C-alpha cells in the first residue's frame, strides 16, 4: 500500500492525490491509471524474491499492487490467479506454429479471469471501509465479485442484464449477492450501477470505471513474465498474446502489467498484444483500424455475452495496448467463435465463447499472415465453458440417444 502514490488520467495526463478522486478523471471522464512508486518497489522486492514465493496466487505480487494484504487466508480470495499454462503441440502443429501456450483462466475460483479484478477491488473496499460493493455484469464480473466478497463477508450487489446466461446468474445467487436483473443490455446496467453507487454511497466495481480493476488484471502479465517468457530466448521474436476484448479492461490490464515490469527494468522484450472482438461487437477494433482513439458505440449482437458491449468503457487504453506493443485488433465471426470451442475441447480446454474468441483470433491471424510460424504465441482463455452451456451445446452438437443394447450401440459407432 505504501507504493500507491496517486492517479493519472489516461487521456489528459492530469494527476491526482489518493483522496482527490475515486473512479474517473473529473475533467474529461478518462480512465485513471494508478501510479505506483517503482523505486520503492525495487527496494522492497526483486524478480528472485517473487519467483521464490510459495504463495501460488496473484497475491505473490502484493509488493507490486496498490492495496494492503486483505487477509482472507484459507478462502477463495487467496486462490485467485496463478492459473495453469498449457504448451499445446497438437494445436501448434495444426496451425503450423512452433510454440503455442494457452493460459486457462477458467481455473480461477469462480471460473473466469474476472476473479483477478474482483479480488483486488474487494481488498480496496476493505481498506476504505466500504459497506457495499456494486457492479454491472453480464455474469462473470458479477460472479467474481460475489465469490470474492462472500469469501470475506463483504456485501455485494450485482446488476445484470436479464439476458445473461442462467448458469452465470445461478453463481451470483449461490454466492449470496443481492442480484437484480435489468431490462436492457450491459451498458444500461453499467450506467445504473454508477448512479446507484452515487446515490447510496456504495463502492462501484464497474469494469473500465474503477481503476483498481486493471490492477488486478495486470497480474496475468506478471504470471506470463514468470512462466512463459523465460522459455523464450532473448534472440527470439516477441511473444504474441491473444486476448478477447469487450469493454477493453483485460487487454488494458495485461498491457499495464507489462509496462510496470518494463518500468522496473525487469522486462527484456515487450510482448505484442492482439485484441480479438466479435464482428457483432467491434467498437475497439473499429477505432484501431481507423487509426483513432475515439470509441464510437456500436449495437452489439454477439452471442459471446462476456464481450458483448455497445460502448467499451476502457476502449482507448485497449486500442493503445495493441498499437503501442506492435500488435493488432481484429474481429472474428460468431460462427468462428463457436467453431473454436470444440477445437479447444479436443485438447482438454473447455472455453466459453469469450475465451474461444481469442483462439479464433489466432486462427485468423495465422491465415492472414499476421502471425508467422516462428512467432511464439500465448492465447488467454478468459472463462470456463460451463458458464454458457447453451453456446457449448450449439458448438458441440447433441449426443445421440439409443436403446440400451449392443445393436443400437453398433448403429451409432459404426462397429459391424
Amino acid at each position: 500500500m505504501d507504493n500507491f502514490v496517486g492517479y493519472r488520467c489516461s487521456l489528459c495526463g492530469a494527476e491526482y492525490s489518493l483522496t482527490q478522486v475515486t473512479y474517473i478523471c473529473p475533467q474529461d471522464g478518462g480512465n485513471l491509471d494508478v501510479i505506483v512508486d517503482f523505486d520503492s518497489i525495487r527496494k522492497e522486492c526483486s524478480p528472485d524474491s517473487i519467483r521464490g514465493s510459495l504463495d501460488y496466487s496473484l497475491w505473490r505480487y502484493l509488493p507490486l499492487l496498490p492495496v494492503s494484504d486483505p487477509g482472507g487466508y484459507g478462502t477463495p480470495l487467496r486462490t485467485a490467479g496463478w492459473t495453469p499454462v498449457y504448451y499445446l503441440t497438437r494445436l501448434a502443429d495444426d496451425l503450423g506454429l512452433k510454440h503455442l501456450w494457452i493460459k486457462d483462466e477458467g481455473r480461477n475460483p469462480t471460473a473466469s479471469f474476472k476473479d483477478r479484478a474482483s479480488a483486488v477491488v474487494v481488498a480496496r473496499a476493505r481498506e476504505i471501509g466500504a459497506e457495499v460493493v456494486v457492479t454491472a455484469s453480464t455474469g462473470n464480473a458479477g460472479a467474481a465479485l460475489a465469490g470474492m466478497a462472500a469469501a470475506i463477508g463483504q456485501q455485494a450487489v450485482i446488476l445484470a442484464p436479464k439476458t445473461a446466461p442462467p448458469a452465470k446468474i445461478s453463481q451470483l445467487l449461490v454466492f449470496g449477492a443481492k442480484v437484480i436483473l435489468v431490462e436492457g443490455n450491459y451498458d444500461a446496467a453499467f450506467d445504473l450501477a454508477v448512479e446507484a453507487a452515487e446515490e447510496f454511497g456504495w463502492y462501484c466495481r464497474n469494469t473500465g470505471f474503477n481503476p483498481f480493476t486493471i490492477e488486478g488484471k495486470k497480474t496475468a502479465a506478471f504470471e506470463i513474465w514468470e512462466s512463459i517468457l523465460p522459455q523464450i530466448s532473448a534472440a527470439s521474436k516477441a511473444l504474441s498474446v491473444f486476448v478477447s476484448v469487450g469493454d477493453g479492461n483485460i487487454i488494458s490490464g495485461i498491457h499495464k502489467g507489462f509496462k510496470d515490469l518494463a518500468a522496473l527494468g525487469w522486462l527484456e522484450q515487450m510482448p505484442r498484444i492482439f485484441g480479438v472482438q466479435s464482428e457483432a461487437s467491434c467498437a475497439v477494433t473499429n477505432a484501431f483500424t481507423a487509426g483513432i482513439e475515439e470509441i464510437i458505440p456500436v449495437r452489439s449482437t454477439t452471442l459471446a455475452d462476456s464481450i458483448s458491449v455497445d460502448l467499451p468503457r476502457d476502449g482507448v487504453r485497449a486500442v493503445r495496448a495493441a498499437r503501442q506493443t506492435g500488435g493488432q485488433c481484429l474481429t472474428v465471426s460468431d460462427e468462428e467463435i463457436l467453431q473454436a470451442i470444440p477445437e479447444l475441447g479436443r485438447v482438454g480446454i473447455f472455453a466459453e465463447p469469450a475465451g474461444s474468441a481469442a483462439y479464433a483470433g489466432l486462427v485468423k491471424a495465422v491465415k492472414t499472415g499476421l502471425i508467422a510460424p516462428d512467432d511464439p504465441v500465448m492465447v488467454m482463455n478468459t472463462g470456463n465453458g460451463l458458464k454458457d452451456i447453451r453456446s457449448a451445446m450449439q458448438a458441440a452438437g447433441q449426443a445421440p440417444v439409443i436403446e440400451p443394447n449392443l445393436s443400437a450401440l453398433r448403429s451409432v459407432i459404426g462397429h459391424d
Side-chain angles (χ1 to χ4, degrees):
M1 181 61 182
D2 293 339
N3 298 327
F4 172 29
V5 296
Y7 303 95
R8 181 182 297 112
C9 176
S10 61
L11 296 183
C12 69
E15 294 191 2
Y16 301 95
S17 70
L18 307 185
T19 58
Q20 281 182 291
V21 293
T22 303
Y23 301 115
I24 57 176
C25 177
Q27 298 187 46
D28 55 17
N31 293 111
L32 296 177
D33 289 321
V34 170
I35 304 173
V36 293
D37 186 340
F38 294 113
D39 289 334
S40 295
I41 291 173
R42 288 190 202 97
K43 294 175 183 177
E44 183 179 347
C45 67
S46 68
D48 286 342
S49 67
I50 288 175
R51 292 184 181 116
S53 173
L54 298 179
D55 185 344
Y56 298 108
S57 74
L58 65 83
W59 298 108
R60 69 194 282 115
Y61 307 111
L62 188 60
L64 283 68
L65 297 176
V67 291
S68 302
D69 191 322
Y73 293 97
T75 75
L77 180 72
R78 302 299 303 201
T79 60
W82 201 246
T83 52
V85 175
Y86 307 119
Y87 186 70
L88 299 173
T89 54
R90 277 195 289 153
L91 286 183
D93 290 343
D94 290 345
L95 295 173
L97 298 175
K98 293 182 179 179
H99 303 288
L100 172 61
W101 295 268
I102 292 185
K103 190 166 178 60
D104 190 3
E105 293 293 300
R107 300 290 294 276
N108 272 301
T110 77
S112 87
F113 190 104
K114 306 297 179 65
D115 282 347
R116 296 179 182 273
S118 289
V120 172
V121 168
V122 165
R124 179 59 176 166
R126 170 164 282 192
E127 281 180 346
I128 63 177
E131 183 177 349
V132 176
V133 184
V134 63
T135 196
S137 173
T138 58
N140 282 345
L145 174 59
M148 297 300 101
I152 60 170
Q154 171 73 55
Q155 294 183 59
V157 174
I158 317 296
L159 303 177
K162 69 173 186 179
T163 55
K168 294 184 178 181
I169 299 302
S170 68
Q171 269 194 300
L172 306 178
L173 295 168
V174 166
F175 288 139
K178 177 68 174 178
V179 181
I180 301 166
L181 302 183
V182 177
E183 295 278 1
N185 59 10
Y186 168 76
D187 298 81
F190 186 104
D191 292 337
L192 181 58
V194 173
E195 293 173 15
E198 183 176 353
E199 178 70 18
F200 305 126
W202 296 344
Y203 187 50
C204 186
R205 179 229 179 270
N206 275 10
T207 301
F209 183 72
N210 187 316
F212 285 84
T213 58
I214 201 172
E215 293 298 302
K217 293 177 182 181
K218 76 180 184 182
T219 59
F222 299 159
E223 292 174 22
I224 294 168
W225 164 73
E226 263 201 275
S227 62
I228 297 178
L229 294 187
Q231 302 180 54
I232 301 172
S233 71
S236 299
K237 290 185 176 180
L239 177 70
S240 294
V241 180
F242 280 75
V243 188
S244 62
V245 176
D247 53 40
N249 200 237
I250 291 180
I251 187 174
S252 302
I254 291 173
H255 187 211
K256 188 173 191 296
F258 288 135
K259 288 191 294 183
D260 283 2
L261 292 169
L264 287 164
W266 297 354
L267 184 68
E268 294 184 6
Q269 188 177 39
M270 178 66 71
R272 298 192 300 165
I273 302 179
F274 288 74
V276 184
Q277 292 196 289
S278 167
E279 293 173 351
S281 181
C282 57
V284 170
T285 304
N286 288 346
F288 180 90
T289 303
I292 60 176
E293 289 192 343
E294 179 186 3
I295 308 299
I296 300 171
V298 297
R299 183 175 178 273
S300 177
T301 58
T302 179
L303 58 78
D305 66 286
S306 292
I307 54 172
S308 181
V309 182
D310 290 356
L311 176 60
R313 309 296 173 135
D314 205 1
V316 172
R317 289 191 296 190
V319 169
R320 291 174 180 172
R323 187 172 292 151
Q324 292 176 6
T325 62
Q328 291 277 339
C329 287
L330 62 155
T331 61
V332 292
S333 67
D334 277 7
E335 181 181 356
E336 290 170 313
I337 289 173
L338 286 175
Q339 289 173 350
I341 293 175
E343 289 180 30
L344 291 171
R346 292 186 188 101
V347 294
I349 297 172
F350 192 10
E352 69 166 327
S356 68
Y359 182 73
L362 170 61
V363 173
K364 184 171 184 177
V366 170
K367 289 179 179 178
T368 57
L370 289 174
I371 292 295
D374 58 344
D375 285 328
V377 176
M378 195 219 72
V379 174
M380 186 75 70
N381 171 37
T382 51
N384 190 284
L386 290 173
K387 296 276 191 170
D388 189 352
I389 291 299
R390 184 185 309 162
S391 292
M393 296 299 293
Q394 186 177 345
Q398 299 289 329
V401 178
I402 65 169
E403 294 293 326
N405 58 66
L406 285 176
S407 176
L409 182 59
R410 286 193 181 97
S411 70
V412 296
I413 64 174
H415 192 287
D416 295 333

